[in-house]
Amino acid sequence: MASYHLAPLEALMDAMESLPGIGPKSAQRMAYHILRMPEEKVRAFVKAITDAHEKIHYCPVCCNLTDGELCAICRDEKRDGSILCVVEDPRDIFALERVKDFTGRYHVLHGAISPMDGIGPEQLKIQELLKRITPEVKEVIMATNATLEGETTAMYIARLLKPLGVRVTRLGHGVPVGGELEYADNVTLQMSLESRKEL
Ligand code: ZN
């Protein structure tokens, strides 16, 4: 039986489909689009992927993304080291930095506790956070998402931090229940920072 199966095309479609939010239809459309792209564009595309992957790593202090030794926020000596804002994702830092009210430092967990997805505390950057709790740190703001996972994570970390004698707060009203920080507008984020409450 003749086979019309093109292995390299199938492999490309599989690669595309492994991306978040990409189903088989979109994967096929993208793969065919790439086949029609000029050689030069394809090379630039591949280089962008490998460059980003090679050069960007976690900041050894706060686990934010960086292409240098430390991330830009950890390098900035003007930031207030007495307040740490704990977020799930590096994209949340971009959102909070837009507000410009927060002058403290951050810590990125890289996810939230989610037993359904098999994500436990040990997969998050919690040990790295605990190591940062020195006498200089007066407050830790839990700025995880207003989802079940985000709330669970905030409570879990608050329980670990309180015995260390640090004030733990949670973002207040503003970010809607089920809401992700990344999609909240500036006013909402500003409000939730101002109305943060004790955990
Ligand atoms: Zn950093």
Side-chain angles (χ1 to χ4, degrees), residues 1-7 10:
M1 201 173 82
S3 172
Y4 299 103
H5 176 86
L6 292 167
E10 295 270 323

Side-chain angles (χ1 to χ4, degrees), residues 7 10 32 39 55 59 73 88 112 127 152 168 181:
E10 295 270 323
Y32 276 88
E39 185 81 34
K55 292 176 184 163
C59 170
I73 292 168
E88 291 182 24
Q127 288 308 314
T152 307
V168 188
L181 250 53

Side-chain angles (χ1 to χ4, degrees), residues 11-191:
L12 181 56
M13 286 196 282
D14 284 348
M16 291 296 154
E17 210 183 324
S18 71
L19 296 171
I22 304 296
K25 275 266 180 230
S26 305
Q28 190 186 47
R29 204 167 55 236
M30 289 160 87
Y32 276 88
H33 178 83
I34 289 170
L35 287 185
R36 287 193 302 267
M37 272 162 64
E39 185 81 34
E40 227 177 76
K41 272 203 162 175
V42 172
R43 259 196 228 114
F45 191 82
V46 172
K47 188 177 179 316
I49 294 175
T50 45
D51 269 6
H53 209 267
E54 271 171 29
K55 292 176 184 163
I56 295 176
H57 53 91
Y58 292 169
C59 170
V61 175
C62 73
C63 304
N64 186 13
L65 298 177
T66 178
D67 64 349
E69 168 84 48
L70 294 175
C71 77
I73 292 168
C74 288
R75 275 199 307 266
D76 187 349
E77 286 170 9
K78 288 196 285 289
R79 306 287 304 211
D80 179 3
S82 71
I83 306 185
L84 292 185
C85 183
V86 178
V87 295
E88 291 182 24
D89 192 280
R91 286 171 294 183
D92 300 329
I93 295 182
F94 283 105
L96 286 160
E97 283 297 286
R98 283 199 319 257
V99 181
K100 294 187 175 70
D101 279 16
F102 182 69
T103 56
R105 297 182 180 275
Y106 293 97
H107 190 83
V108 186
L109 296 172
H110 290 279
I113 298 170
S114 176
M116 292 266 285
D117 302 309
I119 300 171
E122 65 288 345
Q123 273 137 286
L124 307 176
K125 304 291 180 192
I126 296 177
Q127 288 308 314
E128 289 81 351
L129 171 65
L130 295 179
K131 276 187 223 137
R132 294 181 70 189
I133 308 301
T134 59
E136 190 202 354
V137 180
K138 303 295 177 218
E139 181 182 354
V140 176
I141 305 173
M142 293 307 307
T144 48
N145 289 331
T147 56
L148 177 62
E149 293 79 14
E151 296 297 345
T152 307
T153 308
M155 289 307 183
Y156 179 88
I157 293 176
R159 270 204 305 273
L160 296 178
L161 291 180
K162 277 193 195 160
L164 304 177
V166 64
R167 185 178 171 220
V168 188
T169 54
R170 177 86 175 112
L171 283 189
H173 57 77
V175 179
V177 173
E180 295 187 9
L181 250 53
E182 204 194 329
Y183 304 112
D185 62 86
N186 292 359
V187 178
T188 304
L189 279 176
Q190 192 175 356
M191 267 177 59

